[in-house]
Amino acid sequence: MSKALALGLPTAMVSAALYGVAPLVQARAARREEESSGLGLGLLARLVLRPLWLLGLAVEAASFLLEVYALSVAPVAMVAPVMALDMIVFTLLAQRVLGERISLTGWLGVGSMVAGVGLLAYAFARRAEVGAAASTDVLLAFLVLGLIFALVCAFFANVAAARHMIAGAAFGFGAAAGVCYAIATLATRQIGLAVNDRREGQSALADLLTTPPPYVLVLFSVLALGLQQRGLQGRAAVIAFPVTSGVSAFLPVPLGLMLFGEPAPDGAQRVAFVVAMVMVAAGIAALGRDRMAANRSVDELEAAARPAERPDSERLDSALGRLPHHGDDPWSPPGRADGGQSAALRELG
């Protein structure tokens, strides 16, 4: 078994699991803050003072370190799609902690993603070579294009948020955050290659500080965090997270093949690679659809529970229990008198 499969694949899976835990912790902290605007940097400035959000950030930092190692021993075309497994962890925790139900579509999505990762392992069983570092000029060109695209997405997301188009805002913030995370992945790949060179005695790790990747990583990680928190603040966080996960998982694949010269699988392995990518994408879409359906079901339930003769606050209090306010604990288990499963669904959605 190659080093990429023996070490890179399981490390990437653990990293993805931690990435799935972090947004649930961060969402709880983000929703206790006032609605933000712009790129979410003001929101970030407030959140860094919240211990709960810092706990989520610590989980994310641990995941990042594992991702660096995975990218130092395995191709980005294998590692990046595996990182989409964070959606499965996110969904399963939402079911257990928030009392949500996963539909048959959601379980099919989980199965599709797991099977896709299995096919990825087969696709790279014979050939899982780590590519060479990209040139600074080519890397910066992709970074500039990615930044422009992310800013455009964030602009339209803010417009949608101002017009109370919840799904549109969540999709825009999710796409912008996904692009920023994808660019951060490319910078992480450069750092991973430097780590690999250091292990082989070809360079000193301190030499990284004289190159763009560490600073690109910090810039786009901060942007991604801010944009992701904007998406998590809204009622349609169940839309933002799948979009972020999908974009950040698949955009690095073609960029990795082009920028780092990684050899793509050939023969039957190439077919397995393509099928694996399709299955992972289908799984992300199915889980995203399942989460959006859960969000809509709560909205419809709330709308149906509004008698015309009563004020809005009394209608919702009577039909679904107390709505969450700043400082409320959204992680209450099903069956409590303060909202049960519907309250949990409203909190995630």
Side-chain angles (χ1 to χ4, degrees), residues 14-317:
V14 174
S15 176
L18 294 178
Y19 272 133
V21 172
L24 284 171
V25 180
Q26 291 171 336
R28 181 183 176 187
R31 292 185 182 192
R32 293 181 174 181
E33 300 296 327
E34 296 296 330
E35 190 72 21
S36 186
S37 61
L39 299 177
L41 299 182
L43 173 62
L44 268 184
R46 297 193 300 273
L47 287 174
V48 295
L49 303 176
R50 306 299 182 198
L52 183 62
W53 189 84
L54 291 175
L55 174 62
L57 184 63
V59 173
E60 204 160 5
S63 179
F64 166 74
L65 293 177
L66 292 173
E67 185 184 9
V68 169
Y69 178 76
L71 287 170
S72 73
V73 297
V76 67
M78 184 182 78
V79 173
V82 171
M83 301 306 295
L85 293 178
D86 60 358
M87 275 196 65
I88 295 180
V89 177
F90 180 84
T91 301
L92 294 179
L93 284 178
Q95 180 198 32
R96 183 171 182 83
V97 178
L98 299 181
E100 289 200 16
R101 296 182 62 186
I102 303 177
S103 70
L104 177 60
T105 299
W107 285 117
L108 289 175
V110 171
S112 180
M113 293 180 71
V114 172
V117 170
L119 278 177
L120 272 177
Y122 168 73
F124 287 97
R126 291 192 311 170
R127 198 176 186 188
E129 301 173 15
V130 177
S135 69
T136 300
D137 292 341
V138 173
L139 184 62
L140 289 178
F142 276 97
L143 298 181
V144 170
L145 292 175
L147 178 61
I148 292 173
F149 181 82
L151 292 177
V152 169
C153 287
F155 171 78
F156 284 109
N158 276 289
V159 171
R163 296 178 180 177
H164 304 291
M165 300 167 62
I166 298 174
F171 185 89
F173 286 127
V179 170
C180 288
Y181 275 127
I183 294 173
T185 297
L186 297 181
T188 303
R189 155 59 84 184
Q190 294 284 87
I191 295 173
L193 292 174
V195 171
N196 191 47
D197 290 342
R198 176 68 181 87
R199 282 199 301 262
E200 297 176 358
Q202 297 179 14
S203 66
L205 205 54
D207 293 343
L208 268 176
L209 298 178
T210 64
T211 63
Y215 309 102
V216 170
L217 174 63
V218 171
L219 170 64
F220 282 94
S221 294
V222 170
L223 281 176
L225 275 173
L227 291 164
Q228 186 180 44
Q229 303 316 304
R230 288 296 316 279
L232 291 175
Q233 263 197 319
R235 286 180 53 81
V238 290
I239 301 174
F241 187 72
V243 172
T244 298
S245 183
V247 173
S248 62
F250 285 94
L251 185 57
V253 174
L255 294 181
L257 295 174
M258 288 186 293
L259 291 178
F260 303 112
E262 294 178 347
D266 54 11
Q269 279 72 28
R270 176 169 296 183
V271 175
F273 174 70
V274 173
V275 174
M277 297 293 289
V278 172
M279 294 185 73
V280 172
I284 292 174
L287 281 176
R289 182 179 178 182
D290 183 56
R291 301 299 84 206
M292 285 186 281
N295 191 61
R296 285 196 303 269
S297 68
V298 172
D299 289 340
E300 292 167 359
L301 199 60
E302 290 178 350
R306 292 173 181 164
E309 69 276 5
R310 302 177 65 185
D312 285 347
S313 59
E314 293 182 12
R315 298 171 200 158
L316 293 181
D317 287 345

